[in-house]
Amino acid sequence: MKLTIVGTGYVGIVTGTGLANLGNDVICIDNDRKKIDMLSNGKLTLYEPGLEEIFTRNFRSGRLVFTADLKRGVRESEIIFICVGTPCNEADEADLTAVKVIAGEIGRYMNDYKVIVNKSTVPVGTAELVKKIVKENQQEKIPFDVVSNPEFLREGAGVKDFENPDRIIIGTDSKKAEGLMIALYRSVARTNRPIMVTDIKSAEIIKYAGNAMLATRISFMNQLSHLCEKTGADIRAVSRGLGLDGRIGSRFLHAGLGYGGSCLPKDVKALISTLKQHNCEADLFEAVDQINERQKSVVVEKLESVISVNESTIAVWGLSFKPKTDDIREAPAITIIEKLQQLGAKVHAFDPIATPNARQVLNDVTFFENPYEAIRDCDALVVVTEWDEFRNLDMQEVKLLLKQPIVVDGRNIYSPKEMEALGFTYLGIGR
Ligand code: NAD
């Protein structure tokens, strides 16, 4: 099939590469010329495990091409995926500016029947809006369909999730579009992953429901972690005991520093706005959001309970919002570092992958290329992102390098007993 992907960020590049790898001809579009220049030279613009190999292979085969020319992308393909960003605007709604611009241009350049696929996360009703904008911009009446095909990939496991999705949701009111979308995804669904066809509005809500559920589970555990701390219980044991219940399941039940990233925070906020716009109550999701905001201060409060943060030097391990990605959007590390700096602390930081991105948003932080170097002569270490490489480092060495053996483990990756036996002042979350 001939496909166009508009927006070559985390979703666009993984989806485009994955679809090319299935044998389709894929044109990837972006209005960021620098990105397009790099990609056109066969260089990836972001880190995603396993992506480089299939990207390079499909790029070299000519199945994957990059251009800023949307007109070409619209004319040469039958299916056009909108994968542009939908960040939070000042009113905490999904900012649909880019989606609307693309819809207008697709309408303007349309030369033949097209399926326009909303893959960006957009509020219920956006497919209708896209349909309207396309129609208004058409030069002549050409039939087209708008499909909602929300994306569920996780950064850090994007390629794996593309190849083995739990499900593929196709929201459509057109048999023709349904047939084309099923033909496109058939080879992925071959691995017994269901394709679920539904109405457009339900598909749009499924995406927000998924992220709101994950966020709720995290805030749920974070709130319980405070009770564990007050009573001497261990949130990790509570999480395990809870997750063994087949009705509940074990995933997304970890207490920590709160969720971050480019999806959960903005999608919870956008869902709250959408509910309110439809005169529905949103108090459950408002609480989820508030608990998350508060949780980001927990590390700083813990540090303040054992040292005077003012004029201290604090080492931070992990800057990305989660392991295996270089994405620092809404990363708890950013909030924590800024809070520490406001209190007068100097910050030393290390991250295996995300340092170049973090440099662009953080001021006055000293970055290191090695976790041990980052902690030398620091008053405390804070573990913010649970990169695997932090799990088995030489803790004797860590103790020697730190000025004071204080570790705040924001992700509960170390054993309190072992850390205490080594002579650390160890502060985890909810234990
Ligand atoms: P991103 O910011 O990484 O990428 C968006 C890309 O769109 C950028 O390269 C940007 O330059 C481009 N763009 C913006 N306006 C454009 C325009 N007018 N014309 C052409 N290109 C334009 O975003 P992302 O993380 O890939 O997310 C994209 C969408 O997918 C969002 O709605 C997001 O909520 C959703 N989503 C993201 C993830 C994820 O893990 N990142 C997962 C599921 C869904």
Side-chain angles (χ1 to χ4, degrees):
M1 286 176 141
K2 296 207 179 304
L3 312 171
T4 288
I5 304 277
V6 189
T8 55
Y10 288 85
V11 167
I13 196 75
V14 170
T15 307
T17 305
L19 289 168
N21 199 41
L22 294 173
N24 300 292
D25 288 321
V26 183
I27 302 174
C28 294
I29 314 262
D30 208 287
N31 63 354
D32 181 337
R33 295 264 171 183
K34 238 167 92 189
K35 249 185 206 182
I36 290 298
D37 284 349
M38 266 181 84
L39 291 164
S40 305
N41 282 314
K43 289 199 187 79
L44 272 179
T45 47
L46 51 85
Y47 172 74
E48 195 53 48
L51 184 60
E52 195 160 1
E53 191 246 318
I54 49 170
F55 168 82
T56 305
R57 191 154 29 83
N58 285 280
F59 176 75
R60 288 194 182 141
S61 76
R63 276 196 299 272
L64 191 55
V65 297
F66 297 93
T67 172
D69 183 358
L70 183 59
K71 186 172 179 181
R72 174 183 165 200
V74 173
R75 297 205 164 214
E76 290 185 15
S77 296
E78 188 167 23
I79 306 182
I80 302 156
F81 288 86
I82 302 179
C83 300
V84 294
T86 49
C88 224
N89 65 16
E90 279 181 4
D92 279 350
E93 297 156 342
D95 181 346
L96 298 178
T97 310
V99 172
K100 290 193 232 171
V101 168
I102 307 290
E105 294 187 22
I106 295 174
R108 227 169 354 269
Y109 300 139
M110 197 180 273
N111 56 335
D112 213 344
Y113 172 79
K114 307 285 170 194
V115 179
I116 302 161
V117 183
N118 275 346
K119 193 168 255 315
S120 295
T121 301
V122 290
V124 57
T126 305
E128 259 173 21
L129 178 68
V130 167
K131 209 180 265 184
K132 182 167 161 275
I133 297 174
V134 172
K135 265 193 194 147
E136 285 167 359
N137 283 276
Q138 281 184 323
Q139 311 293 311
E140 53 184 303
K141 263 196 160 187
I142 299 169
F144 69 93
D145 287 303
V146 178
V147 167
S148 169
N149 170 219
E151 181 53 56
F152 301 100
L153 69 77
R154 296 161 299 167
E155 282 176 27
V159 173
K160 217 168 93 197
D161 287 344
F162 177 86
E163 289 169 353
N164 282 295
D166 286 343
R167 76 304 206 190
I168 293 159
I169 303 289
I170 297 172
T172 179
D173 53 9
S174 147
K175 279 285 158 207
K176 183 170 179 181
E178 179 183 329
L180 283 165
M181 293 301 288
I182 288 179
L184 178 64
Y185 279 122
R186 195 177 288 134
S187 49
V188 179
R190 160 180 60 100
T191 45
N192 290 330
R193 309 291 171 169
I195 296 180
M196 176 181 157
V197 178
T198 181
D199 64 279
I200 295 172
K201 288 183 176 166
S202 301
E204 290 173 327
I205 291 180
I206 286 168
K207 174 64 199 175
Y208 282 96
N211 276 354
M213 175 66 86
L214 297 175
T216 302
R217 287 171 72 104
I218 294 172
S219 283
F220 180 100
M221 295 310 291
N222 281 336
Q223 189 149 72
L224 276 181
S225 75
H226 303 160
L227 181 63
C228 291
E229 281 178 15
K230 288 271 158 75
T231 56
D234 183 344
I235 193 71
R236 296 249 307 192
V238 173
S239 163
R240 188 165 147 70
L242 184 62
L244 287 170
D245 186 326
R247 296 167 300 176
I248 296 170
S250 62
R251 295 172 71 186
F252 272 78
L253 289 184
H254 298 294
L257 302 176
Y259 54 79
S262 67
C263 291
L264 262 52
K266 82 167 170 64
D267 291 348
V268 170
K269 286 187 166 70
L271 179 60
I272 292 168
S273 296
T274 307
L275 284 159
K276 289 184 173 171
Q277 279 158 17
H278 289 83
N279 295 321
C280 299
E281 278 166 11
D283 39 0
L284 172 62
F285 305 115
E286 282 172 332
V288 167
D289 183 47
Q290 285 157 12
I291 292 167
N292 196 59
E293 281 309 309
R294 284 203 299 270
Q295 195 67 15
K296 293 182 198 167
S297 309
V298 159
V299 155
V300 179
E301 286 159 19
K302 282 181 188 287
L303 270 178
E304 282 183 304
S305 73
V306 285
I307 57 167
S308 160
V309 172
N310 184 20
E311 297 193 357
S312 65
T313 305
I314 308 294
V316 171
W317 278 358
L319 298 166
S320 56
F321 83 94
K322 66 174 183 181
K324 298 187 186 156
T325 180
D326 61 351
D327 196 346
I328 51 140
R329 289 178 285 185
E330 298 270 336
I334 309 294
T335 317
I336 290 165
I337 288 173
E338 286 172 351
K339 275 193 185 45
L340 289 171
Q341 289 175 326
Q342 279 160 17
L343 290 169
K346 283 204 189 85
V347 176
H348 288 188
F350 168 77
D351 188 283
I353 297 284
T355 300
N357 285 342
R359 274 185 202 280
Q360 293 180 21
V361 297
L362 286 168
N363 296 317
D364 300 325
V365 171
T366 314
F367 295 96
F368 291 82
E369 307 236 314
N370 166 313
Y372 295 112
E373 284 306 313
I375 58 176
R376 189 184 292 280
D377 293 330
C378 286
D379 295 285
L381 162 66
V382 182
V383 180
V384 179
T385 315
E386 66 279 32
W387 283 93
D388 280 343
E389 71 173 84
F390 299 151
R391 291 178 192 271
N392 283 328
L393 290 179
D394 181 347
M395 284 302 167
Q396 300 274 19
E397 180 74 13
V398 169
K399 196 177 155 210
L400 285 176
L401 287 168
L402 282 170
K403 209 153 63 181
Q404 308 185 67
I406 297 172
V407 173
V408 180
D409 179 1
R411 300 294 176 184
N412 288 342
I413 61 174
Y414 302 122
S415 148
K417 271 196 192 131
E418 285 174 20
M419 292 296 278
E420 275 152 24
L422 284 166
F424 281 98
T425 299
Y426 172 84
L427 300 159
I429 304 287
R431 50 206 319 223

